[in-house]
Amino acid sequence: MSGFDPAWLDLREAVDHRSLAAGPLERLAAKFGDAPVSVVDLGAGSGSALRKLAPLLATVQSWTLIDSSAALLDHARSRLRDWADASDAEGDALKLRKDAATIEVRFSRADLAPAPLPPAAAAADLIVAVAFFDLAGDAWLTAFAERLTAARRTLYAPLIYDGAKRFQPPHDLDEAALAAFNAHQRSDKGLGPALGPEAGARLCELARRSGYGALEGRSPWRLGPADRALTTALVRGMASAASETAEAPDGLAAWLAFREASAAGGGEVGHVDLLLEPPGTAR
Ligand SMILES: C[S@@+](CC[C@H](N)C(=O)[O-])C[C@H]1O[C@@H](n2cnc3c(N)ncnc32)[C@H](O)[C@@H]1O
């Protein structure tokens, strides 16, 4: 299982939120904006999805945040308490008030490898998984899609990495460094050899085969001078991952030094957002 640094997730949160494609978000708000709604967030990390989506959903919400990392779930709890206007602990759960909303949050530490769709998710109105499915292998994703479609649940899955990265100003090794990084993206992250950049299209295909409606949007990170810290962390992560592969190009250290020095130039990272809806419920 791969480890995700809370500081990295904190750094990307604002960019994630501003990058989400409007179409799926508007559809979610139209679909779940009125009646009380239960949401399960798979690979929830620090609870970023709740902070983004809560204002779009009905004022009575219950969320279950599922992640394999106890440290991230602890971080999520503390981030959510800071974010809310008021919070009360009820056993292991939290009751939050934020603007007009009342939000009950449960935290569940679980490895999704052996159980792609936990019972709480199979019973939820809405399943959310942000920046998650590119970690999954084909067998796991197929098992997930079978369970999702059998349970006829709606899935919002934004920010699935699509393999594209561009930086400014360009460097001769950009393409080779990206190829090595993308090779690393296809290694096993605990859910089988990962599909990486192919995961979004594959998930869409599996859901459509079962009659699901799929609304797609693009959600590229567009990074500028103000995102220098994120760009720096991004290129460091890229170089570190690339260096672990057989494809690592000669000159990777010099590439990284150039990219760090020109981080203010920013760039773009491609993602796809998916909203998958059971037959008869999609517009
Ligand atoms: C890229 S992070 C995204 C976190 C969060 N969704 C966000 O957008 O900020 C992927 C998350 O999936 C979790 N994860 C990875 N493999 C997992 C597994 N096998 N079972 C449960 N969670 C897992 C990680 O701990 C991490 O929090």
Side-chain angles (χ1 to χ4, degrees):
M1 213 173 301
S2 47
F4 288 86
D5 180 4
W8 164 246
L9 296 184
D10 286 348
L11 200 51
R12 53 179 287 172
E13 181 162 326
V15 179
D16 279 348
H17 287 185
R18 77 175 187 230
S19 302
L20 295 174
L25 280 180
E26 284 163 8
R27 172 83 184 121
L28 269 187
K31 190 166 179 168
F32 297 107
D34 296 331
V37 60
S38 58
V39 187
V40 168
D41 187 355
L42 303 177
S46 59
S48 168
L50 191 161
R51 289 185 286 281
K52 174 65 183 180
L53 298 182
L56 306 178
L57 304 178
T59 52
V60 179
Q61 302 172 26
S62 72
W63 284 71
T64 302
L65 273 49
I66 299 181
D67 205 284
S68 51
S69 163
L72 279 176
L73 290 173
D74 284 347
H75 188 58
R77 182 185 295 271
S78 121
R79 291 280 325 267
L80 288 168
R81 292 194 85 139
D82 290 346
W83 167 83
D85 300 326
S87 67
D88 281 313
E90 290 190 352
D92 286 344
L94 274 184
K95 199 156 226 172
L96 307 177
R97 288 196 60 81
K98 177 71 174 176
D99 300 324
T102 307
I103 309 167
E104 198 174 273
V105 192
R106 291 186 188 80
F107 301 87
S108 170
R109 184 183 179 195
D111 179 5
L112 292 164
L117 196 73
D125 298 315
L126 172 64
I127 301 170
V128 166
V130 183
F132 180 72
F133 287 109
D134 42 43
L135 303 173
D138 197 50
W140 188 92
L141 200 65
T142 302
F144 172 82
E146 277 169 12
R147 287 160 176 77
L148 174 80
T149 55
R152 294 179 57 87
R153 298 298 97 190
T154 297
L155 172 72
Y156 177 54
L159 293 166
I160 303 173
Y161 174 56
D162 75 1
K165 281 189 173 148
R166 270 184 300 280
F167 297 102
Q168 290 299 333
H171 184 279
D172 284 349
L173 280 185
D174 282 343
E175 209 175 302
L178 179 60
F181 173 74
N182 283 346
H184 188 274
Q185 290 297 100
R186 295 185 178 89
S187 61
D188 192 336
K189 310 285 195 304
L191 301 174
L195 287 167
E198 280 80 48
R202 180 70 174 137
L203 179 56
C204 223
E205 179 201 337
L206 290 166
R208 282 191 168 127
R209 244 190 237 169
S210 296
Y212 261 56
L215 180 59
E216 293 180 55
R218 310 307 301 188
S219 51
W221 281 356
R222 295 202 171 90
L223 304 172
D227 306 307
R228 188 186 186 129
L230 180 62
T231 303
T232 302
L234 178 70
V235 295
R236 285 180 183 159
M238 263 184 87
S240 163
S243 72
E244 293 173 15
T245 69
E247 290 84 346
D250 291 341
L252 188 61
W255 175 84
L256 175 59
F258 176 86
R259 291 265 67 102
E260 286 177 331
S262 51
E268 211 169 294
V269 179
H271 305 103
V272 64
D273 295 356
L274 298 178
L275 179 63
L276 303 180
E277 298 177 89
T281 64
R283 272 186 193 156

